[in-house]
Amino acid sequence: MSGFLNANAGPRYRHNADESAPYETITLDKLTPILGAEISGIDLSKPLSNRQQDEIHRALAENLVIFFRDQHISHDEHMAFGRLFGDLHTHPAAPSEPGKPELMIIHADKDSPRANGEGWHTDVSCDLEPPMGSILYIKKCPPKGGDTLFASMYAAYEALSDRMKTYLDGLTAVHDGESVYRGLYKNYNIADKPQYPRAEHPVVRTHPVTGKKALYVNRGFTRSLVGLPRDESDAILRYLYEHMESPLFQCRFRWQENSIAFWDNRCVQHRAMWDYWPHTRSGNRVTVAGDKPY
Ligand code: SIN
């Protein structure tokens, strides 16, 4: 168990639940005090006013991952919604809808060898400029299961000891796509690329919108801490992974058909549960391009 619970002094991590200003164009229902909020009172198939767009942006910054229920949007409307937040990112390996490389297919059924996102990760953190956010629209759900878990990397960072924060300050890590993507989609008959992205990023990044610090290493892509002996790098990464996977930093979203989750990859990790075999879970993801972490 990671050491952020201190029996003598209460939890080391105490969330500072700032009361944010009320929203005018959306209704917001928080899943936990730390992250996640369900948004209602908005129809994403209709053009959004500037005020609605601003409030969705603010809701994402304040809640890290936001959810919409009962939305009925076409592929083009899904991509148009993503473009409100930036250029769209094209996944370096995953299958996409015909003629729409930015519209990734998320699908698992009884014949799938695996499902997307089964381990904790940050989407495509191996890119030099990893995606800012991901917008997943699930249209077919299993009768039970298929939840997605999200974890706040602000909370994970804040809960580290001051000594550990000092130790991590200035460190960078290698994120590697090669070991993840090569051969991963052969069941979709997708040929491998000659090479996949690889990048070095700070272990602690500053969010460009909120200015807050977030832990930025993940089991999916991070392979080593730069400039450290291998055994030390492995031990520190193992500690950080165990630490950040504490349920205290998490929320869990239970999908219904036609729900959307929009998460901020700069401060959130996620993990999808494949506990519904032999049932089918299916949808699409649009990913919004991001900047070089600093
Ligand atoms: C992913 O984008 O990593 C998949 C998440 C999910 O299917 O819930």
Side-chain angles (χ1 to χ4, degrees):
M1 179 177 166
S2 89
F4 60 87
L5 290 177
N6 177 337
N8 297 321
R12 191 192 306 162
Y13 177 66
R14 293 179 187 187
H15 181 65
N16 184 8
D18 315 315
E19 278 307 312
S20 69
Y23 290 86
E24 287 171 14
T25 63
I26 55 175
T27 303
L28 193 131
D29 186 17
K30 280 180 178 287
L31 266 72
T32 76
I34 292 172
L35 83 164
E38 206 166 304
I39 290 181
S40 55
I42 198 148
D43 178 350
L44 299 179
S45 70
K46 304 244 161 67
L48 301 182
S49 66
N50 289 344
R51 186 90 187 127
Q52 285 173 316
Q53 291 175 36
D54 287 350
E55 292 206 330
I56 291 173
H57 222 145
R58 174 156 80 88
L60 182 68
E62 290 179 355
N63 296 282
L64 291 54
V65 52
I66 51 179
F67 308 102
F68 304 85
R69 300 267 187 205
D70 201 21
Q71 299 292 328
H72 300 271
I73 54 172
S74 65
H75 285 166
D76 287 341
E77 286 164 346
H78 189 177
M79 291 193 291
F81 180 57
R83 284 195 189 96
L84 296 177
F85 302 91
D87 292 336
L88 299 189
H89 170 274
T90 299
H91 197 280
S96 55
E97 295 294 345
K100 297 185 196 297
E102 304 99 335
L103 197 61
M104 183 175 160
I105 295 171
I106 299 282
H107 179 95
D109 61 28
K110 66 177 177 23
D111 300 318
S112 301
R114 49 177 291 280
N116 283 88
E118 282 182 82
W120 283 105
H121 67 288
T122 307
D123 290 327
V124 203
S125 69
C126 54
D127 262 359
L128 284 176
E129 296 187 341
M132 160 271 187
S134 303
I135 305 171
L136 177 59
Y137 180 33
I138 291 290
K139 282 170 270 188
K140 183 165 178 53
C141 279
K144 285 275 180 293
D147 297 357
T148 309
L149 279 62
F150 297 90
S152 165
M153 293 303 108
Y154 294 143
Y157 174 73
E158 283 162 25
L160 293 170
S161 70
D162 288 342
R163 289 237 181 209
M164 181 55 81
K165 287 179 186 160
T166 303
Y167 177 85
L168 298 179
D169 187 34
L171 278 180
T172 58
V174 173
H175 297 240
D176 180 38
E178 178 71 30
S179 50
V180 177
Y181 294 136
R182 187 155 302 280
L184 189 64
Y185 294 104
K186 60 174 180 274
N187 59 310
Y188 280 90
N189 291 325
I190 293 190
D192 272 319
K193 301 243 173 70
Q195 63 181 39
Y196 290 103
R198 181 181 170 90
E200 191 177 319
H201 298 308
V203 170
V204 178
R205 74 178 290 185
T206 303
H207 194 287
V209 176
T210 65
K212 288 163 66 173
K213 288 185 173 180
L215 208 47
Y216 197 66
V217 289
N218 68 86
R219 275 191 204 273
F221 292 99
T222 312
R223 293 291 165 265
S224 61
L225 298 173
V226 176
L228 297 184
R230 185 83 227 184
D231 55 349
E232 184 175 337
S233 165
D234 287 349
I236 295 290
L237 285 175
R238 198 163 45 243
Y239 168 73
L240 293 175
Y241 297 152
E242 282 175 15
H243 169 81
M244 67 179 49
E245 289 165 10
S246 162
L248 188 57
F249 312 140
Q250 294 175 18
C251 72
R252 180 170 179 138
F253 184 60
R254 188 166 190 188
W255 292 91
Q256 291 160 354
E257 289 181 353
N258 303 310
S259 301
I260 292 175
F262 183 178
W263 60 90
D264 186 333
N265 284 301
R266 300 166 296 189
C267 54
V268 162
Q269 290 195 31
H270 61 286
R271 175 189 172 154
M273 301 299 297
W274 192 24
D275 52 0
Y276 49 87
W277 188 91
H279 296 286
T280 299
R281 178 179 181 275
S282 195
N284 292 106
R285 192 181 93 192
V286 159
T287 312
V288 182
D291 319 315
K292 190 167 165 46
Y294 58 90

